[in-house]
Amino acid sequence: MPNAVIYHDTPIASAVAEATDDLTVVAAESDADVRDHLADADVFVTNPQNWTDDFLAFLSTGTWIQSTSIGYDAFPLEAFADRDVAFTNAETLHDTTVSEHAFALAFALSRRLGPLFDNQRRGDWDRRVGDEMWLWEGRRMTVFGLGNIGESVARRARAFGFEVYGVKRTPAIYSGVLPPDRVVATERFHDLLPETELLVLTVPLTDETHHAVDTSVFDALPDSAALINVARGPVVDQDALVDALETGEIRGAGLDVFEAEPLPEDSPLWGRDDTVVTPHVGGRSDDFATRFTRLFLDNYRRWRAGESLANRII
Amino acid sequence: MPNAVIYHDTPIASAVAEATDDLTVVAAESDADVRDHLADADVFVTNPQNWTDDFLAFLSTGTWIQSTSIGYDAFPLEAFADRDVAFTNAETLHDTTVSEHAFALAFALSRRLGPLFDNQRRGDWDRRVGDEMWLWEGRRMTVFGLGNIGESVARRARAFGFEVYGVKRTPAIYSGVLPPDRVVATERFHDLLPETELLVLTVPLTDETHHAVDTSVFDALPDSAALINVARGPVVDQDALVDALETGEIRGAGLDVFEAEPLPEDSPLWGRDDTVVTPHVGGRSDDFATRFTRLFLDNYRRWRAGESLANRII
């Protein structure tokens, strides 16, 4: 019977073990557990937070790695390819969850929920916070990255009356929810900024997108703009972001991802009234184990049958 | 030149004064100011929070009252009718703002923003809060009251993949964004509850809707349900709501309105981790003065020309 090692911070190991009778599941609880068992594993389930390149030395040729996440910048894909290791992600599991999280952040900013939560904790009925609220309807949203998540955000944004534009590496082959003339190539990203009041990042982290949102972007945005990042921290030059918030070049940020995670205790972002910080939880939901198990079982059936794997990256 | 008294807590008096050259505007700052000037006013602009029935004694026959709000349960409409006072509300100004606020509350609950803001204030990167999050997509939303705001909520909810139902006094004459078979009469409201996971209240407060959401409603809802109230506080039996939260009969509430406002300091709702309290600010936005002034000027032009007023209730 094949062996799986599952190293994750939600109870997916037990869910998978319960749902399979043709797989031996080891629930690893530490890096040491992984090192003890990985050599015997045919399947390794983990996520970018738990992965460390130390594991490479223990990884057998031909192992299949299933990530529970979407982003794969933390994984050494070339080393996987060299060892004939298959790598799949969980893209189709996350798009609606992350897009709901993106709107949670956008509305938390516009309805000033941070100051209101502070007031709630004090039992303070202060209606003046209402003077700082704004309406999103009618404003321009630019979605940077039109993969599954970007499309999911764009579709919802249109129903909210945003004027939605998108940025894509290859607009010529675009076929999504936006009118084609609202989708521009990455080189034209800056053209959209002077009218953009909500910039939503949903792009993978690559050499090309690293610090794609830098001082020049904050300079170009109007001071009524806000930034939502549910992609990857390093897409944003975080020091430039802090400066832009500090000087009022933009009016808020909703951030689920950061250049360093956990966000260091001394980061000025924690204390800002115009910034919502969430600890990289955009993909989380309480039925995650059930939904992941469904995705995994489908892929495991394919793997046993020698069929091609879904969401395969390498 | 006609006289207007404007009694409001946002700077609409100056905005209106600036935009008109055929109206003398008195900006009242207290009940006493209103009592001093109301007898001379042709137009009185106020809101339900600032209105008190003491003003009736100072109100001249034929005065026109423009409320900046939607709900008119706080105004003595019969007394207005007796005095030949015209009363208009600002319904068309609020529907998108209130519906954005309703989604802010719904996503604040599902993405557990309250606990996350507490963590943010402490600089605490705790990802375990993610285990308590849930996905709204695919769940049933029931919108109680399909006026402008209810329609506005329903349209947005459909883009988020909610299975949206509506409750209306007169479903036979419904022509909105929902399929007609998803709209039921008030008497059938309870039939929808066992499958409803988000109940959104957008109904006016009348004798019929007073405490329409009571113990029997919380009993019928599944324990995965949440309540959003952006209508009026007394539509909900607030003691029954506190009990339902306390016993886990529902899992959360997002409340902008309360049976007594300001919400009393000793209300158990302030301290609840599963409840978001906002101080009746659902209709607020920073361009409110501009948008209200536009609505007011149109109505003032009609009033001077002897035409029928927009949004006239009495």
Side-chain angles (χ1 to χ4, degrees):
Chain A
M1 195 148 76
N3 291 308
V5 171
I6 299 187
Y7 186 32
H8 205 263
D9 43 3
T10 59
I12 56 172
S14 53
V16 168
E18 223 167 90
T20 49
D21 51 16
D22 59 347
L23 181 68
T24 306
V25 174
V26 172
E29 300 197 341
S30 65
D31 287 12
D33 281 354
V34 174
R35 283 190 288 265
D36 286 348
H37 296 281
L38 193 56
D40 295 329
D42 304 288
V43 186
F44 182 38
V45 178
T46 188
N47 64 17
Q49 286 83 28
N50 285 1
W51 172 264
T52 153
D53 285 351
D54 297 350
F55 295 162
L56 272 178
F58 302 88
L59 202 57
S60 305
T61 301
T63 302
W64 159 38
I65 299 180
Q66 170 72 57
S67 172
T68 61
S69 189
I70 311 176
Y72 42 81
D73 48 90
F75 292 100
L77 299 186
E78 288 183 22
F80 292 167
D82 290 345
R83 283 164 177 73
D84 210 15
V85 161
F87 177 83
T88 55
N89 75 354
E91 175 160 14
T92 47
L93 205 61
H94 289 276
D95 50 351
T96 57
T97 320
V98 175
S99 89
E100 291 192 7
H101 198 78
F103 282 93
L105 294 172
F107 288 119
L109 293 175
S110 67
R111 307 314 294 169
R112 300 289 285 147
L113 295 188
L116 288 177
F117 273 116
D118 290 340
N119 290 348
Q120 179 173 344
R121 294 296 175 249
R122 287 194 302 263
D124 180 1
W125 180 275
D126 182 352
R127 299 189 73 233
R128 287 169 303 179
V129 179
D131 297 339
E132 304 161 8
M133 296 178 172
W134 65 89
L135 185 66
W136 279 124
E137 187 182 59
R139 298 180 194 256
R140 180 182 296 181
M141 174 193 287
T142 295
V143 183
F144 188 17
L146 290 173
N148 284 346
I149 296 177
E151 282 292 306
S152 183
V153 168
R155 184 167 48 244
R156 287 158 172 78
R158 297 188 76 191
F160 273 90
F162 281 98
E163 181 195 63
V164 188
Y165 282 77
V167 180
K168 194 177 170 64
R169 205 165 35 160
T170 49
I173 58 165
Y174 179 74
S175 66
V177 299
L178 295 178
D181 62 342
R182 293 272 177 100
V183 178
V184 309
T186 314
E187 305 82 65
R188 287 193 46 217
F189 172 45
H190 278 248
D191 298 349
L192 298 176
L193 298 176
E195 304 290 324
T196 294
E197 292 185 271
L198 184 56
L199 175 58
V200 182
L201 307 180
T202 51
V203 78
L205 175 62
T206 63
D207 288 347
E208 203 184 20
T209 62
H210 183 267
H211 283 201
V213 177
D214 60 7
T215 305
S216 70
V217 169
F218 297 120
D219 286 347
L221 288 168
D223 60 12
S224 58
L227 173 72
I228 301 295
N229 191 0
V230 289
R232 278 292 181 268
V235 174
V236 176
D237 177 342
Q238 200 163 294
D239 290 337
L241 168 62
V242 170
D243 283 348
L245 289 164
E246 195 61 49
T247 58
E249 286 193 272
I250 64 172
R251 73 167 151 182
L255 308 169
D256 190 44
V257 290
F258 303 88
E259 288 208 79
E261 296 180 10
L263 182 64
E265 272 180 46
D266 61 354
S267 169
L269 292 170
W270 287 114
R272 294 197 67 86
D273 194 308
D274 55 8
T275 300
V276 184
V277 170
T278 61
H280 203 148
V281 289
R284 302 284 282 279
S285 70
D286 60 2
D287 59 352
F288 179 78
T290 313
R291 293 164 67 236
F292 174 76
T293 302
R294 204 181 304 139
L295 175 142
F296 177 78
L297 289 183
D298 174 60
N299 244 357
Y300 183 58
R301 189 196 54 71
R302 291 164 184 253
W303 183 76
R304 294 218 71 175
E307 296 172 14
S308 64
L309 296 169
N311 298 314
R312 184 161 180 173
I313 307 297
I314 288 283
Chain B
M1 193 149 75
N3 292 308
V5 171
I6 300 189
Y7 186 30
H8 205 263
D9 43 5
T10 59
I12 56 173
S14 53
V16 167
E18 221 165 275
T20 49
D21 52 14
D22 59 347
L23 181 69
T24 305
V25 174
V26 172
E29 302 197 338
S30 64
D31 287 12
D33 280 355
V34 174
R35 283 189 290 264
D36 285 348
H37 297 280
L38 192 55
D40 295 328
D42 304 287
V43 185
F44 181 39
V45 177
T46 189
N47 63 18
Q49 286 84 28
N50 285 0
W51 172 266
T52 152
D53 285 353
D54 296 351
F55 295 161
L56 272 178
F58 301 89
L59 202 57
S60 304
T61 301
T63 301
W64 159 39
I65 300 179
Q66 170 73 55
S67 171
T68 62
S69 189
I70 310 175
Y72 41 82
D73 48 273
F75 291 101
L77 299 185
E78 287 184 23
F80 292 167
D82 289 347
R83 282 162 178 76
D84 211 14
V85 162
F87 177 84
T88 55
N89 75 355
E91 175 158 14
T92 49
L93 205 62
H94 289 277
D95 48 353
T96 58
T97 320
V98 175
S99 89
E100 291 192 7
H101 198 78
F103 282 94
L105 295 173
F107 288 120
L109 293 176
S110 66
R111 308 313 294 170
R112 299 290 285 149
L113 295 188
L116 288 176
F117 273 116
D118 291 340
N119 289 347
Q120 178 172 346
R121 294 297 175 246
R122 287 193 303 263
D124 181 1
W125 180 274
D126 182 353
R127 301 188 73 233
R128 286 170 303 179
V129 179
D131 298 338
E132 305 161 7
M133 297 178 171
W134 66 88
L135 185 68
W136 279 124
E137 188 183 57
R139 299 180 194 256
R140 180 182 295 180
M141 175 194 286
T142 295
V143 183
F144 188 18
L146 290 174
N148 285 345
I149 295 177
E151 282 293 308
S152 183
V153 168
R155 185 167 47 245
R156 287 158 172 78
R158 294 189 77 191
F160 272 90
F162 281 97
E163 180 194 64
V164 188
Y165 282 76
V167 179
K168 194 177 169 66
R169 204 165 37 162
T170 48
I173 57 163
Y174 179 74
S175 65
V177 298
L178 296 178
D181 63 343
R182 292 271 178 100
V183 178
V184 309
T186 314
E187 306 83 63
R188 285 193 46 217
F189 172 43
H190 278 247
D191 298 349
L192 297 176
L193 298 176
E195 303 291 324
T196 294
E197 291 186 272
L198 185 56
L199 175 59
V200 181
L201 307 181
T202 51
V203 77
L205 177 61
T206 63
D207 289 347
E208 204 183 21
T209 62
H210 183 268
H211 282 202
V213 177
D214 59 7
T215 304
S216 70
V217 169
F218 296 120
D219 286 348
L221 288 168
D223 58 13
S224 57
L227 173 73
I228 301 295
N229 192 0
V230 289
R232 279 292 181 267
V235 174
V236 176
D237 177 342
Q238 200 162 295
D239 291 336
L241 168 62
V242 170
D243 283 347
L245 290 164
E246 194 61 50
T247 58
E249 286 193 272
I250 65 171
R251 72 166 153 184
L255 307 170
D256 190 45
V257 290
F258 303 88
E259 288 207 81
E261 294 180 11
L263 182 65
E265 272 180 47
D266 61 355
S267 168
L269 291 170
W270 287 115
R272 295 198 66 85
D273 192 300
D274 56 7
T275 301
V276 183
V277 170
T278 61
H280 204 149
V281 288
R284 301 286 281 280
S285 70
D286 60 3
D287 60 350
F288 180 78
T290 313
R291 294 164 65 237
F292 175 76
T293 301
R294 203 179 307 138
L295 174 144
F296 177 78
L297 289 183
D298 172 62
N299 244 358
Y300 183 59
R301 187 197 55 71
R302 290 163 185 252
W303 182 75
R304 292 218 74 173
E307 296 171 16
S308 66
L309 296 170
N311 297 314
R312 183 160 182 173
I313 308 296
I314 287 284

